[in-house]
Amino acid sequence: MKSPVRICLLVCLLISVANTGIIKRFVDEIDIPTLVQRLDDLTNRVAQNERKLRYHPVAFKAHLSQRMENLSPNQRIIFDDVQLNIGNAYHGNLGGFLAPVNGTYLFSVSVCSTSGHFIVLDLMRNNDVIGRVLAGDSLYDDCSSETTIAELKSGDEIYVQHHLNVGDLLQVQQHTLDSFTGALLAVI
């Protein structure tokens, strides 16, 4: 607690300063719109820095290391050769990505099949299809890709699976063409 003597001295000082006109000159010299703008700018910078401190970047890229044939319906495709895993949210042994934070994410799947074969894969969020990719041709080797953006909640899983009984061969072409990638675009 403040002592009554200190409070009395503070009040006396304020009264004497007010009587000298110092406060009036100070108030007259203040540019209120500029001060408000500077306060808004500082508030925005603090909010941006808080977001940077709370959320780390999230991104992954994984490839298939071997050809897959005679796939079962809804068989999960394990992109097992993990090239990048910032934030450790992709689990190469399961072939799945677990969202670490609520946010907007970008995902891409690229696959290949050899001539005379084709493959259809689904990009899944938990148990829902959010994208599909088809690769195949009767005469040529064929590659295709699907890219999508999805809003995820923390804990949602994204993975790739074989589409029912459609297609028979997932071919590894030049190692880098068969890939599953993802990145956090914005935290929500």
Side-chain angles (χ1 to χ4, degrees):
M1 289 189 146
K2 295 185 178 180
S3 69
V5 174
R6 285 186 180 170
I7 294 173
C8 182
L9 285 174
L10 183 59
V11 169
C12 290
L13 178 64
L14 288 174
I15 291 172
S16 65
V17 169
N19 287 339
T20 62
I22 293 174
I23 292 179
K24 183 178 181 338
R25 280 184 294 185
F26 178 72
V27 169
D28 289 343
E29 292 174 10
I30 295 176
D31 181 6
I32 299 295
T34 300
L35 286 176
V36 169
Q37 181 61 46
R38 290 181 69 193
L39 182 60
D40 288 345
D41 292 344
L42 284 172
T43 302
N44 289 335
R45 286 175 50 198
V46 167
Q48 288 173 350
N49 287 335
E50 284 177 347
R51 281 193 297 272
K52 287 179 186 176
L53 292 174
R54 275 189 285 173
Y55 304 108
H56 300 285
V58 176
F60 73 92
K61 181 176 184 180
H63 300 281
L64 281 178
S65 64
Q66 58 188 330
R67 164 186 177 132
M68 299 179 74
E69 32 188 336
N70 302 320
L71 297 167
S72 303
N74 300 324
Q75 178 180 337
R76 188 178 286 219
I77 307 303
I78 308 294
F79 292 84
D80 58 332
D81 184 14
V82 180
Q83 301 290 309
L84 176 73
N85 196 6
I86 298 170
N88 296 315
Y90 180 73
H91 303 280
N93 56 336
L94 301 174
F97 170 82
L98 290 176
V101 296
N102 295 348
T104 303
Y105 293 80
L106 176 102
F107 296 99
S108 182
V109 178
S110 297
V111 296
C112 299
S113 191
T114 59
S115 63
H117 298 275
F118 72 98
I119 190 72
V120 179
L121 301 178
D122 293 330
L123 180 61
M124 306 293 292
R125 174 181 49 217
N126 302 321
N127 293 315
D128 299 322
V129 176
I130 61 170
R132 183 166 289 148
V133 62
L134 161 70
D137 188 89
S138 59
L139 299 176
Y140 302 101
D141 290 353
D142 184 48
C143 297
S144 186
S145 65
E146 164 73 11
T147 301
T148 191
I149 295 175
E151 282 191 11
L152 303 181
K153 292 185 173 127
S154 177
D156 281 349
E157 183 182 24
I158 302 293
Y159 57 97
V160 179
Q161 74 178 20
H162 181 229
H163 178 75
L164 303 173
N165 283 325
V166 181
D168 62 345
L169 178 69
L170 186 55
Q171 176 66 30
V172 173
Q173 296 277 20
Q174 298 176 7
H175 188 62
T176 59
L177 295 179
D178 298 281
S179 64
F180 179 29
T181 61
L184 173 63
L185 298 178
V187 175
I188 51 173

